[in-house]
Amino acid sequence: MSFIKIDDIARFAGYSKSTVSKVINNYPGIPEKTREKILKVIKKYEFQPNSQARNLAGKKDKVIGVFVFDKNGLNGPFFQGIISVLTEKAEDKNLKVLLSVAKNKNHKLKIKKLIDNGTIQGAIIIGATLEEPELESLIENEYKLVIFDYKNEHKNKNIFLINSNNYNGGRLAAKTLIDQNLKRLYHLAGDENKLAGLEREEGFLDELDGHGVVYKVLKGEFQLNKAKEILSSELKKGEIPEGIFCANDEMAIGCVEALYENKIDYKGVKIIGFDNTQISTLYRPKITTISYNLEKMAEIAIEKIILLMEEKEIKENIYNGELKLYIRET
């Protein structure tokens, strides 16, 4: 039945010509039920796609999307740092990168459209909160995704999780301060709607338990100015901690600024940040911080998104960063 065309297959199967084309060319991101239905129609009508067109499709550049879920965009050094490293690792593997900031629901819905129309073949998601219905829909429909700092309980074969070892990082910060015999501690918490903020706080508080430490949790939300404002308010009340663990380096800098503006010597308050961003070494005093080897995490992210796009099996779908404490001037 050589007169059958791709338009006919699309009409018989009940899908668009674009979706049929992607099934023929084995694009990732097509729900399995959709793929099976289209292939069944192709088999029934003995449809033979044009071999030259398929060869041209096979030469299409591999493109991945890198999406930052954050209402504040790319302002912070964490996002800037991770995007820089991811782009470099992608170029090493001859992948092109489409970068986008998803600030709202409509932006997030575009990820599905970009994969469905073949613009990108897979996506890396950074900065997701713990409640992301649009992201959950992509996971359930078997889109190929690598996600940074997201729910650990996901075991779907179409996704790979890369986490910053947040809980153990929080414990490491607490142990470091406890080992210096400090008894009055603050935690400048990150966004508790994000896994990184929640688990860093949980790890810190769990490690403090039973050590006779008096502590206070302040909601810094990963923001330098917010941390500075909140700590400054505490200092004005005469509340001066012996040590502070901040859920990121920006808040650690905010705390140093608050101490300086309130004429308190930073050397009398031990401060630990998290992420080991470039700003932690450029700022003076240099920030003591916890690192999870971002270079390796980015390398693994690119490696796994390629495997997912090629439909290859991944035995374990989660990687936790390797922690290291950098003791500097705070």
Side-chain angles (χ1 to χ4, degrees):
M1 301 183 68
S2 58
F3 61 90
I4 288 289
K5 299 179 179 179
I6 191 171
D7 307 71
D8 300 311
I9 297 298
R11 181 161 49 85
F12 296 149
Y15 292 95
S16 68
K17 180 179 175 181
S18 172
T19 301
V20 172
S21 176
K22 282 187 283 184
V23 169
I24 291 170
N25 292 297
N26 200 29
Y27 271 76
I30 304 297
E32 197 56 38
K33 288 182 180 179
T34 300
R35 189 184 299 276
E36 289 176 0
K37 186 174 180 180
I38 291 172
L39 289 175
K40 187 175 180 180
V41 174
I42 288 173
K43 183 177 180 181
K44 177 180 178 181
Y45 290 97
E46 299 178 1
F47 174 67
Q48 294 294 326
N50 182 283
S51 59
Q52 185 178 5
R54 293 194 65 181
N55 287 337
L56 288 172
K59 292 178 182 177
K60 184 176 180 179
D61 288 331
K62 287 185 179 179
V63 184
I64 60 168
V66 175
F67 298 92
V68 175
F69 283 24
D70 197 89
K71 61 184 179 182
N72 297 313
L74 303 178
N75 293 328
F78 168 74
F79 289 133
Q80 293 168 8
I82 195 169
I83 289 167
S84 174
V85 179
L86 278 171
T87 303
E88 180 183 332
K89 299 298 180 183
E91 288 176 352
D92 289 343
K93 298 293 183 180
N94 296 317
L95 289 180
K96 295 188 181 300
V97 175
L98 184 154
L99 173 63
S100 182
V101 179
K103 295 185 177 182
N104 54 47
K105 177 181 177 181
N106 289 334
H107 292 162
K108 294 168 186 176
L109 289 172
K110 286 182 181 178
I111 299 173
K112 180 180 184 299
K113 293 180 181 178
L114 288 169
I115 295 177
D116 284 346
N117 66 25
T119 302
I120 60 175
Q121 288 82 58
I124 296 175
I125 311 292
I126 308 164
T129 66
L130 296 174
E131 297 297 329
E132 296 283 2
E134 295 80 23
L135 180 53
E136 289 295 321
S137 177
L138 290 174
I139 293 171
E140 290 170 10
N141 285 285
E142 300 185 352
Y143 286 80
K144 313 304 181 186
L145 308 170
V146 169
I147 314 172
F148 278 76
D149 288 315
Y150 198 56
K151 301 173 185 177
N152 296 336
E153 65 266 22
H154 275 297
K155 302 299 180 185
N156 306 57
K157 293 182 179 179
N158 56 297
I159 69 169
F160 190 87
L161 303 171
I162 296 185
N163 292 334
S164 308
N165 214 341
N166 301 294
Y167 179 80
N168 288 328
R171 297 196 69 159
L172 175 58
K175 185 177 186 306
T176 302
L177 295 173
I178 290 168
D179 286 348
Q180 296 185 59
N181 201 31
L182 306 180
K183 297 297 183 182
R184 295 194 314 278
L185 303 178
Y186 281 0
H187 174 47
L188 267 294
D191 186 344
E192 293 172 342
N193 290 319
K194 295 189 176 186
L195 188 73
L198 180 65
E199 289 194 340
R200 289 172 194 181
E201 179 180 333
E202 289 179 345
F204 183 72
L205 299 184
D206 283 353
E207 186 65 28
L208 293 184
D209 191 34
H211 285 87
V213 173
V214 177
Y215 66 85
K216 184 178 289 189
V217 176
L218 305 174
K219 310 298 182 182
E221 299 180 9
F222 289 129
Q223 297 177 33
L224 187 155
N225 288 332
K226 184 89 171 177
K228 178 181 174 180
E229 177 187 335
I230 293 174
L231 180 60
S232 187
S233 177
E234 294 293 317
L235 296 175
K236 283 179 170 58
K237 292 186 290 186
E239 300 285 340
I240 304 176
E242 296 176 322
I244 306 174
F245 167 49
C246 299
N248 72 354
D249 295 334
E250 291 173 82
M251 290 195 295
I253 290 172
C255 287
V256 175
E257 293 284 325
L259 291 170
Y260 175 77
E261 291 187 3
N262 285 275
K263 297 180 172 52
I264 298 171
D265 188 352
Y266 76 87
K267 294 178 182 178
V269 182
K270 302 299 181 184
I271 299 175
I272 300 176
F274 207 110
D275 291 334
N276 192 33
T277 51
Q278 189 177 33
I279 194 173
S280 67
T281 58
L282 296 176
Y283 186 79
R284 294 295 182 272
K286 295 181 180 180
I287 304 298
T288 293
T289 187
I290 293 170
S291 168
Y292 36 73
N293 196 340
L294 183 57
E295 187 90 7
K296 185 170 183 179
M297 289 168 69
E299 192 172 299
I300 290 173
I302 297 301
E303 171 192 318
K304 299 305 181 184
I305 195 65
I306 291 172
L307 290 175
L308 289 171
M309 292 190 301
E310 293 176 348
E311 305 277 354
K312 293 182 180 176
E313 183 181 359
I314 299 175
K315 292 183 179 180
E316 296 289 335
N317 84 322
I318 187 168
Y319 170 79
N320 283 299
E322 300 169 3
L323 296 175
K324 182 177 179 179
L325 175 67
Y326 287 88
I327 298 177
R328 296 182 179 134
E329 297 173 353
T330 63

